[in-house]
Amino acid sequence: MPTLHTYDYAVIRVVPRVEREEFINVGVIVSCPGAKHLEAAIELDLERLRAFAPSLDIEGLQPWLDAIVAICRGDATAGPIAQLPVRARFHFLTAKRSSVVQMSSTHVGRTAEPTGVVEHLMQKMVRVPA
């Protein structure tokens, strides 16, 4: 019987006008402490984002989204936060914020293969069904 790992995840959202609380899901972040796994993926559907928020500075938004992925990877260029332990990085990234890039509430799941969770959640939570 395969070992099941518990993981936490949050959906990464772009909230162009914070006061309206409208958003588009653009990625996910997954933390699996038992496997010491922290990963984020982001995919911008530019056509959808431009239709939703025509005045949004997408080029200005990209570095903030890239930083999430770099912090998850523990990339030294992402600053001191990226050097924290895996769980601390996850909690830092998923903390509530009133900004254009926000995270959903955290959710819990179980899996035998932590490295496949991000792709599964991207398909389920971010990509528009065909």
Side-chain angles (χ1 to χ4, degrees), residues 60-121:
L61 176 69
Q62 192 64 55
W64 296 102
L65 297 171
D66 293 342
I68 293 169
V69 175
I71 290 169
C72 286
R73 282 194 316 249
D75 190 332
T77 64
I81 299 297
Q83 305 314 304
L84 293 174
V86 169
R87 286 304 281 176
R89 285 183 271 156
F90 178 76
H91 289 297
F92 172 82
L93 290 169
T94 59
K96 289 287 181 197
R97 291 176 174 80
S98 180
S99 62
V100 173
V101 177
Q102 296 182 17
M103 303 289 172
S104 71
S105 299
T106 57
H107 306 279
V108 178
R110 292 181 62 171
T111 184
E113 185 50 54
T115 58
V117 173
V118 167
E119 178 58 29
H120 168 74
L121 291 173

